[in-house]
Amino acid sequence: MTTVLLIVICVLAVVVFIQIGAQVELFEQVKQIRAYLDLEDKPDPVELGSLVGTRPSRYGLPAVLDESDAAVVLFVSNKCETCRNLASALRGGAVPPSMWVVVVPVSGDGNEFITEFELHGERVLLDEEERIVSSIGLDLTPVALHVTDGKLTRAHTVPTVRQMYAAAPVPYKITLARKSSVRH
């Protein structure tokens, strides 16, 4: 009986070892496929040219951005699947405090997109007539436009939700817990 149990355990150990090896190989293949198809989780820079150092309000963005220490403006369209994934992550007003979202309706009504993903709030803008993207010269989405000290500084694509949150400059202060001083 002990011999049979030992054989079963050894067979199970070999099967588990083979399955783990196959899984490692599968992950390596997926990594190679993503690299070959250029589906890496990395943002690509977008050239701003003469826009660098100018005020955001000059292009139809809110004037409050001209006074911002650090902010990011996320441009999404209603026909881009990546944009839909980003909007889904922001569903119900989960927009980080230093982020503004500009919805660019490529076709149809942008209000339907805003309603579908519950993107309501003062930091969500609808660029119905594409005035903002036209004045900036932006022709792709999703793109993050960075504002530092009230001026446009850089822009890049946003391929994933992780990159969207990584782009958001969320200022915060760290408060360390302190031990109360006890006097004896």
Side-chain angles (χ1 to χ4, degrees), residues 16-184:
V16 168
F17 180 75
I18 291 171
Q19 287 179 339
I20 289 173
Q23 189 172 14
V24 167
E25 179 62 27
L26 178 66
F27 284 135
E28 285 299 317
Q29 288 177 357
V30 168
K31 184 178 175 183
Q32 290 172 352
I33 290 170
R34 287 179 64 90
Y36 178 76
L37 295 175
D38 197 27
L39 295 174
E40 298 293 320
D41 180 19
K42 62 179 179 180
D44 292 323
V46 174
E47 184 62 40
L48 287 178
S50 63
L51 276 69
V52 173
T54 59
R55 300 273 179 205
S57 62
R58 179 176 174 186
Y59 307 101
L61 291 167
V64 70
L65 287 170
D66 293 350
E67 306 300 322
S68 177
D69 292 334
V72 67
V73 181
L74 177 67
F75 290 87
V76 294
S77 71
N78 60 345
K79 291 298 177 187
C80 158
E81 193 59 38
T82 303
C83 297
R84 296 181 72 76
N85 289 337
L86 299 178
S88 180
L90 298 173
R91 183 180 304 276
V95 180
S98 58
M99 180 181 286
W100 292 74
V101 178
V102 177
V103 176
V104 183
V106 174
S107 64
D109 185 11
N111 286 312
E112 291 175 7
F113 183 83
I114 289 172
T115 302
E116 178 182 350
F117 293 104
E118 302 171 18
L119 297 174
H120 303 289
E122 61 185 27
R123 289 181 285 117
V124 176
L125 308 170
L126 178 59
D127 192 12
E128 279 186 290
E129 297 174 12
E130 297 186 18
R131 289 182 183 153
I132 298 171
V133 291
S134 294
S135 65
I136 293 173
L138 192 61
D139 60 354
L140 72 145
T141 56
V143 169
L145 183 65
H146 290 263
V147 177
T148 306
D149 296 327
K151 296 179 182 163
L152 301 179
T153 55
R154 64 187 176 96
H156 58 82
T157 60
V158 184
T160 62
V161 171
R162 189 180 74 76
Q163 289 296 336
M164 175 184 68
Y165 285 117
V170 180
Y172 61 93
K173 293 181 182 180
I174 299 173
T175 306
L176 298 175
R178 297 180 184 205
K179 287 185 179 180
S180 60
S181 58
V182 178
R183 294 187 181 173
H184 296 280

